[in-house]
Amino acid sequence: MSDSSRNRNVTFALIGLGIALAIATFLSPFASQNPDGLDRVAQDHKFDTKAAAETPAKQLPFYQVFEEYALRGVPKEIATPLAGIIGTLAAFGLAWGIGKVVVRNSGVPPEDDSTSPD
Amino acid sequence: MTELLLMSISSFQAGSRMLPLAMHIPDGFLSLPVILVTWILAIALIAICLKRAQFEYQERTVPLMGVCAAFIFAAQMINFPIPGGTSGHLLGGTLAGALLGPWAGSLVMVVVFMVQAFLFQDGGITVLGANIVNMGLIGTFGGYYLYAAIRKSLGWNSLRGIGVGAAVAAWASVVVGSIICAFQLAISGTVPLPVALSAMASWHVLIGIGEALITVTALGFIYRTRPDLIYKAPKKAIANRSMASR
């Protein structure tokens, strides 16, 4: 891979991450508070009560840090944007890391097969 | 009296939420057999993806995997309202499949659902396999191959093929995912099948429109800026772009 194409890809990654962070930060306070598809069905048909109250996720240390999409211990206005930022960075880092470990090929362009779906 | 009590409990639970939890299944909705079958299916497909991803991709795909996971996580936080007092959000499986192909696309979706379940208690950990299948793999596999078939028939290298393919596949993946979720709920004895099917499908027919709009917008942006990053990239667009930048 040439240096210039590597730089272009890093630039693209930073722009993409910036867009994702902006969405998580500035749009999350405006997310609709209405129940979503499955929640709505569960409420309408009275099976929302079957959701477990004591879930395994609440036993994890992360539950001490986040209450759903809200960072604990900070003012309400910034709790969800901050949770969004941390979650977005976690997803970014984890997916990049898995990609780094899994993808073995380096540099050599593939045979041209871009006209078939698989 | 009991009904009143139940209603007040459920409205209390709904009221105590900070944000509506996404379309993710919570712990307690699915029976053990359904949990096991969906976990086995999810793990088998993830194993195939890990194997195929080793040789299918180049190093330059790796940053795109990070960006894709970040964008889909962020976008899933943004519930958009749909008529009737309900909301929906992007699932992103078809978008991930169109950008990265089914193999890396699936791995990205798994990352998103893991972060949501473990960090933010969104979607049960015991039912994570089902959530990965319904909202991830149906999009990255079913959605991707439907997109690829439409793209092929309308012109592999055309924006029209990519756009129409992505729109139809994104919509279909949400509706099919909701129908499969309805079957899982019914087999688990949580809610009768006819009720689950009609209720889930009728909301997700609308939510799927939002999925299609976001998927096409994101792909359109990438088509205009970096068409070479689309999985099995359109040749003409890349050629035109490098001509123009000369």
Side-chain angles (χ1 to χ4, degrees):
Chain A
M1 193 187 296
S2 72
D3 278 352
S4 76
S5 78
R6 189 187 298 268
N7 286 342
R8 281 179 69 207
N9 288 335
V10 170
T11 309
F12 180 86
L14 291 177
I15 292 171
L17 178 62
I19 292 173
L21 287 171
I23 291 170
T25 310
F26 300 113
L27 292 185
S28 62
F30 301 102
S32 168
Q33 300 291 314
N34 291 338
D36 68 29
L38 177 59
D39 269 340
R40 175 61 187 267
V41 173
Q43 287 172 24
D44 285 354
H45 300 284
K46 311 270 184 295
F47 65 88
D48 51 340
T49 51
K50 292 193 183 177
E54 282 311 311
T55 62
K58 290 186 177 173
Q59 311 301 317
L60 296 174
F62 303 117
Y63 185 58
Q64 310 304 319
V65 184
F66 302 106
E67 186 183 10
E68 295 178 3
Y69 290 102
L71 183 66
R72 292 178 190 270
V74 298
K76 191 159 107 279
E77 294 75 24
I78 57 169
T80 295
L82 284 175
I85 290 171
I86 297 168
T88 301
L89 290 173
F92 179 78
L94 205 53
W96 187 312
I98 287 176
K100 191 94 191 151
V101 172
V102 169
V103 175
R104 300 267 178 84
N105 287 351
S106 56
V108 191
E111 291 294 305
D112 184 39
D113 59 350
S114 63
T115 47
S116 78
D118 188 2
Chain B
M1 186 63 204
T2 344
E3 213 178 286
L4 204 72
L5 193 70
L6 273 177
M7 272 175 64
S8 63
I9 289 173
S10 70
S11 63
F12 168 73
Q13 285 183 335
S16 70
R17 288 182 173 175
M18 323 256 329
L19 269 182
L21 281 196
M23 277 111 92
H24 302 52
I25 302 170
D27 294 306
F29 275 15
L30 299 184
S31 65
L32 188 58
V34 174
I35 286 174
L36 288 177
V37 169
T38 48
W39 265 116
I40 290 169
L41 187 60
I43 290 171
L45 285 170
I46 293 166
I48 294 170
C49 290
L50 286 169
K51 204 165 170 55
R52 289 294 299 264
Q54 284 182 21
F55 306 105
E56 190 80 18
Y57 299 100
Q58 303 297 309
E59 202 184 330
R60 62 178 206 132
T61 307
V62 175
L64 189 59
M65 287 175 71
V67 171
C68 198
F71 177 80
I72 290 171
F73 174 86
Q76 285 209 5
M77 286 185 76
I78 316 302
N79 283 58
F80 49 81
I82 58 169
T86 303
S87 71
H89 62 67
L90 179 78
L91 300 185
T94 303
L95 176 59
L99 272 182
L100 292 163
W103 322 111
S106 298
L107 298 178
V108 159
M109 295 309 293
V110 170
V111 165
V112 170
F113 295 124
M114 281 175 57
V115 169
Q116 292 169 336
F118 288 103
L119 259 58
F120 302 106
Q121 307 106 47
D122 185 10
I125 292 177
T126 62
V127 296
L128 183 56
N131 281 327
I132 287 173
V133 170
N134 298 351
M135 296 187 291
L137 303 181
I138 287 175
T140 52
F141 283 97
Y144 172 75
Y145 285 111
L146 179 56
Y147 152 83
I150 296 170
R151 186 179 161 189
K152 198 168 191 175
S153 71
L154 292 181
W156 188 255
N157 294 318
S158 73
L159 178 60
R160 184 160 155 264
I162 292 173
V164 174
V168 173
W171 180 85
S173 69
V174 171
V175 175
V176 170
S178 78
I179 288 171
I180 289 179
C181 180
F183 273 98
Q184 292 162 353
L185 293 168
I187 294 168
S188 301
T190 300
V191 60
L193 183 62
V195 175
L197 271 181
S198 62
M200 287 295 281
S202 60
W203 289 119
H204 287 87
V205 160
L206 297 174
I207 293 171
I209 297 172
E211 178 88 13
L213 288 174
I214 298 170
T215 302
V216 169
T217 305
L219 271 179
F221 173 73
I222 292 168
Y223 186 94
R224 282 192 304 275
T225 53
R226 288 292 305 275
D228 57 307
L229 292 180
I230 294 174
Y231 188 64
K232 313 277 186 192
K235 278 184 202 146
K236 232 181 347 189
I238 298 171
N240 287 345
R241 196 170 176 279
S242 51
M243 294 278 280
S245 66
R246 257 171 219 165

